Amino acid sequence: MPTAPMPEFPTGFRWGVSTSAYQIEGAAGTDGRGPSIWDTFAHPPGRIVDGSSGEVACDHYHRYAEDVALMAGLGVTAYRFSVAWPRVLPTGGGAVNPAGLDFYERLVDELLDHGIDPVATLFHWDLPQPLEDAGGWLNRDTAHRFADYADAVAARLGDRVKLWITLNEPFIHMSLGYGIGVHAPGRMLLLDAFPVAHHQLLGHGLAVAALRAHSTSPVAIANNYSPVRTVGDSPADAAAAAAYEALHNRLFTDPLLGRGYPPELGFDTTVVRDGDLDVIAAPIDVLGVNYYHPTGVRAPEEGAPLPFDLVPLTGYPRTAFDWPVVPDGLRDLLGWLRDRYGADLPPIQVTESGCAYDDVPDATGRVPDPDRIAYLEAHLRAVRAAIDDGVEVTGYFVWSLLDNWEWAEGFTKRFGLVHVDFDTGHRTPKSSYAWLREVIATARRGPVR
Ligand code: PNW
């Protein structure tokens, strides 16, 4: 429990929780959903630590009303979910599957009935498999297919979704999916994955136009950022850190905010056509920031395949993911965004922040998670400090509402405010849920004078 009252947050500050479709929905073959790259990737043994897939996951597809009730009990003002592209367009293009959109319409209406703002992410990594068969995001055509998909979703839900997020973490999708192959689609192209960056960003820009044609709601992208900490003091260490900074923190933000691609990594940019950078730099209303931890970087060995070496940061507590707990990294990151992008930086919402711990029900059936409470409290204080530093931050979403299917980690990493028994689907709010409910209730009541 907090030792001191939480600082006050600005009136209208958005309090939310985040999830994504493949991680919670299950119902993989239901109502005409087509296969995605994650259905394909999870099947051969050896890729997912516990051999699981998201075929059933939290069965949110059938339990969404119960999950919205949990959100209402928590008092959040917003819910960030993702729409599964293969539910809406089972082959990636062609005819819309109305039953897929019906599910999101039921969810959105349930949220609105409970006074919760629906925040919809269009792409949280579950590319329709037929598009992967045609080259995935290496193929420029995927950007156009994405815009068509955005159009279909916005035509149905454009009057009710309160914030649109085009892409989730295009950097993580590129690097883990196409760079080192630990996520779907499992390609290992290292820095030759650059076209995946460009085509995702082009898809984003085309989707912004499609969304604006149907909806007056604000539009955002959710990027993952990791403040770079140089390990070592040689000029080579500093150069490696600068290269990693350009890759992780600037590759997807410099072009969005009108600065073009960072030159430090020497990418082959022949896929960039005249006019593309203008499409990509279409104004956005909010920048979504997903923050988990900083990254230690030093110079690589001679002849290494990448121009940097990532090293664990020592001297911090660690989560079950072995990620260091560094709340100041979030304050530093928000200040860095403000300093680097100045007047071009839109208001920020922290669209993901959270941690995995090995949470288990105790003998009384409660799930105590004091480490998560400490994590969230410290990160909320870091956000408040950044606001005091002059950064405009207008919301904070916890990753995640539910324990869920954590990609290559399967069911072994629990990020939820709510514990899920993956055999029965039973949900149990953890102690962090009760703690956050009080924080939100106090903040929503406003200043005590
Ligand atoms: C994010 N890293 O992914 C995703 O948006 C979520 O779907 C995911 O469940 C959550 O964070 C927790 O992992 C990340 O390697 C994946 O630093 C990997 C990293 C960061 C974020």
Side-chain angles (χ1 to χ4, degrees):
M1 287 291 143
T3 47
M6 288 298 288
E8 287 171 10
F9 280 82
T11 316
F13 191 81
R14 184 173 255 163
W15 296 92
V17 285
S18 288
T19 64
S20 90
Y22 192 70
Q23 294 179 271
I24 65 165
E25 284 178 359
T30 304
D31 291 340
R33 176 187 177 280
S36 85
I37 57 173
W38 274 98
D39 298 295
T40 308
F41 183 79
H43 275 289
R47 286 168 167 174
I48 311 301
V49 297
D50 57 3
S52 63
S53 78
E55 206 172 327
V56 177
C58 304
D59 198 28
H60 169 78
Y61 193 83
H62 298 110
R63 290 177 173 254
Y64 73 92
E66 177 183 354
D67 293 337
V68 173
L70 284 164
M71 295 172 217
L74 183 57
V76 290
T77 61
Y79 172 48
R80 174 176 176 240
F81 60 96
S82 81
V83 176
W85 189 344
R87 287 197 193 280
V88 178
L89 291 156
T91 61
V96 170
N97 171 35
L101 282 170
D102 291 348
F103 169 68
Y104 297 104
E105 186 159 73
R106 290 194 293 277
L107 173 64
V108 162
D109 289 345
E110 186 77 8
L111 290 164
L112 293 171
D113 283 348
H114 286 82
I116 299 169
D117 288 348
V119 174
T121 303
L122 293 174
F123 181 65
H124 201 124
W125 306 349
D126 46 356
L127 191 76
Q129 182 62 38
L131 294 183
E132 170 60 20
D133 298 338
W137 288 107
L138 290 163
N139 181 349
R140 184 181 174 95
D141 186 59
T142 298
H144 292 281
R145 299 287 72 77
F146 181 64
D148 292 346
Y149 157 60
D151 183 87
V153 177
R156 177 77 83 94
L157 300 174
D159 57 337
R160 283 163 284 173
V161 165
K162 301 297 182 205
L163 174 65
W164 296 101
I165 296 177
T166 54
L167 306 175
N168 177 70
E169 298 189 350
F171 169 73
I172 300 291
H173 187 55
M174 175 192 76
S175 57
L176 301 192
Y178 291 79
I180 62 172
V182 301
H183 277 190
R187 289 168 166 261
M188 283 180 250
L189 300 171
L190 298 178
L191 296 183
D192 291 338
F194 173 78
V196 174
H198 184 60
H199 296 144
Q200 284 185 95
L201 284 169
L202 183 64
H204 156 84
L206 295 168
V208 170
L211 293 168
R212 298 228 190 268
H214 292 286
S215 178
T216 55
S217 294
V219 178
I221 187 170
N223 278 328
N224 180 275
Y225 296 93
S226 184
V228 172
R229 304 279 169 98
T230 311
V231 174
D233 41 27
S234 73
D237 293 322
Y244 192 72
E245 173 96 307
L247 180 67
H248 195 139
N249 296 323
R250 291 170 44 213
L251 178 59
F252 292 88
T253 308
D254 280 9
L256 281 166
L257 299 180
R259 283 151 176 79
Y261 286 112
E264 283 85 347
L265 294 140
F267 287 125
D268 173 355
T269 55
T270 48
V271 297
V272 181
R273 297 191 192 163
D274 282 354
D276 285 359
L277 287 170
D278 293 331
V279 173
I280 291 168
I284 52 174
D285 307 297
V286 170
L287 179 66
V289 168
N290 293 2
Y291 170 76
Y292 289 92
H293 59 84
T295 301
V297 182
R298 69 178 174 201
E301 306 266 306
E302 273 271 317
L306 289 167
F308 48 77
D309 187 20
L310 305 186
V311 285
L313 288 171
T314 54
Y316 298 101
R318 312 189 84 79
T319 69
F321 223 132
D322 217 25
W323 291 349
V325 178
V326 191
D328 283 350
L330 178 53
R331 180 183 185 175
D332 295 348
L333 164 64
L334 294 168
W336 176 84
L337 286 164
R338 192 261 328 262
D339 293 347
R340 177 165 178 81
Y341 299 105
D344 296 324
L345 182 70
I348 288 172
Q349 294 188 21
V350 177
T351 35
E352 287 182 24
S353 170
C355 49
Y357 288 107
D358 296 324
D359 308 313
V360 284
D362 67 16
T364 66
R366 294 196 184 84
V367 185
D369 58 343
D371 291 338
R372 179 168 294 99
I373 293 174
Y375 186 102
L376 295 176
E377 177 178 357
H379 286 75
L380 278 168
R381 289 186 190 281
V383 169
R384 178 65 247 192
I387 293 171
D388 292 336
D389 296 339
V391 189
E392 191 178 359
V393 186
T394 59
Y396 180 90
F397 292 73
V398 175
W399 183 273
S400 182
L401 174 70
L402 302 173
D403 291 342
N404 60 48
W405 192 77
E406 177 56 33
W407 309 113
E409 304 293 322
F411 292 113
T412 69
K413 297 291 182 287
R414 295 180 176 273
F415 276 89
L417 297 163
V418 174
H419 181 275
V420 177
D421 178 324
F422 293 115
D423 294 323
T424 63
H426 184 72
R427 279 102 161 111
T428 308
K430 303 179 189 176
S431 54
S432 57
Y433 174 101
W435 173 82
L436 186 62
R437 184 180 59 207
E438 294 314 309
V439 170
I440 295 173
T442 306
R444 290 182 68 180
R445 273 197 296 273
V448 184
R449 298 263 181 252

